[in-house]
Amino acid sequence: MSLKQAATAVRENAHAPYSNFKVGAAIRAGSGTIYSGCNVENVAYPEGTCAEAGAIAAMVAAGETELDEVYVIADAPMPVSPCGGCRQKLAEFGADHVPVIMGTVDGQEQVMTLGELLPGAFNTDHIQGR
Ligand code: THU
C-alpha cells in the first residue's frame, strides 16, 4: 500500500463530528513500515487530536522514532498543511529534508520539506547542557 493509499484509507475513520473535516495522515518510518492516523475530535474541543499526532503516536508505540516521509490528505479546496503544533511534532522525528506531501481527495498535491514548513524550529540545540 502506498503512503497516499494509507492516508486516504485511515481518513475514513476520522472522528470529526464538530468540524466535519476529516483528515488522514500516513508516515513512512525508518524501517519502511507505514503508520497512519486520523483526527479524533472531542466534545471538549481542545481535547481533539490531529491526524498527524495519531500517526506519530502509532509509529512511536511500534518502537520507531525516525520518519522519512509524510502524507496528509483532506477534502479541501487546496492542499492542507499541518498545523503549527503538528509541524513541531513531526520535526521531533524527521529531518529538515523529509518530504511532506499535502493532498486533497480530488487529486491536488503539494510537496514541501519539514524544514520549509518549520524554519527556525526549536530543537535540541536550544536545550544543550540540560
Ligand atoms: N486537522 C488535522 O488533523 N490535521 C491538520 O493538518 C489540520 C487540521 C484537524 C483538526 C480538526 O479535527 C480538524 O482538522 C479541523 O481543524
Side-chain angles (χ1 to χ4, degrees):
M1 187 185 279
S2 72
L3 215 52
K4 179 181 179 177
Q5 286 171 330
T8 301
V10 73
R11 179 179 165 273
E12 295 297 325
N13 296 335
H15 177 70
Y18 308 107
S19 70
N20 276 317
F21 191 74
K22 292 185 167 198
V23 185
I27 289 170
R28 189 185 315 283
S31 69
T33 300
I34 293 174
Y35 300 96
S36 55
C38 54
N39 53 333
V40 182
E41 297 183 349
N42 191 281
V43 64
Y45 293 176
E47 299 304 326
T49 50
C50 286
E52 295 88 331
I56 290 168
M59 177 185 80
V60 175
E64 296 212 55
T65 53
E66 181 199 314
L67 64 84
D68 291 340
E69 193 178 358
V70 183
Y71 202 107
V72 184
I73 192 161
D75 185 4
M78 65 199 66
V80 167
S81 63
C83 77
C86 284
R87 293 175 193 208
Q88 185 73 38
K89 289 182 178 79
L90 291 166
E92 180 73 14
F93 302 105
D96 276 0
H97 61 79
V98 163
V100 179
I101 304 145
M102 298 163 270
T104 65
V105 295
D106 66 6
Q108 299 176 61
E109 276 188 356
Q110 181 187 359
V111 187
M112 291 178 73
T113 65
L114 259 181
E116 288 170 336
L117 286 169
L118 190 62
F122 180 69
N123 62 32
T124 52
D125 296 343
H126 298 110
I127 56 168
Q128 277 286 322
R130 279 158 185 89

